[in-house]
Amino acid sequence: MGLINIAYDIPNLRIENPEAVAHTRIGWFPVGSNVPHAFAVQSFVAELAAAAGRDHRDYLLELVGAARLIDPTALKDGWNSLSPRSGIG
């Protein structure tokens, strides 16, 4: 989850990405800064749910929106056309 692939179904969204000093070394995170970012976003969603007087899980599911299915054959990325014995992946 980042600036361009946020998981929530929010029609109007303003996101700013200013420079900020990292108070911890992020090089050891296996996925960069996604772990603390996801924690911050989920904490904020929990605060929004509490402010709205709603259950956090129900509020989160509403933010995610309707179920979305991905058709792997439509991706055209080459991974779905490889034989099972190709040795890739």
Side-chain angles (χ1 to χ4, degrees):
M1 184 174 4
L3 292 176
I4 59 172
N5 62 348
I6 191 162
Y8 305 128
D9 187 21
I10 302 173
N12 297 309
L13 185 64
R14 177 182 172 177
I15 299 176
E16 297 180 10
N17 188 23
E19 282 193 39
V21 176
H23 298 287
T24 60
R25 289 183 44 194
I26 60 172
W28 63 270
F29 287 127
V31 291
S33 63
N34 200 22
V35 173
H37 182 258
F39 176 78
V41 169
Q42 292 302 318
S43 297
F44 184 63
V45 168
E47 289 181 21
L48 291 173
R54 306 223 359 240
D55 179 64
H56 175 238
R57 180 182 174 274
D58 294 337
Y59 193 84
L60 178 62
L61 289 174
E62 185 178 317
L63 278 178
V64 170
R68 291 166 264 183
L69 300 176
I70 298 173
D71 178 12
T73 59
L75 295 177
K76 308 275 189 241
D77 58 3
W79 285 96
N80 299 299
S81 62
L82 299 173
S83 68
R85 296 184 158 185
S86 66
I88 299 177

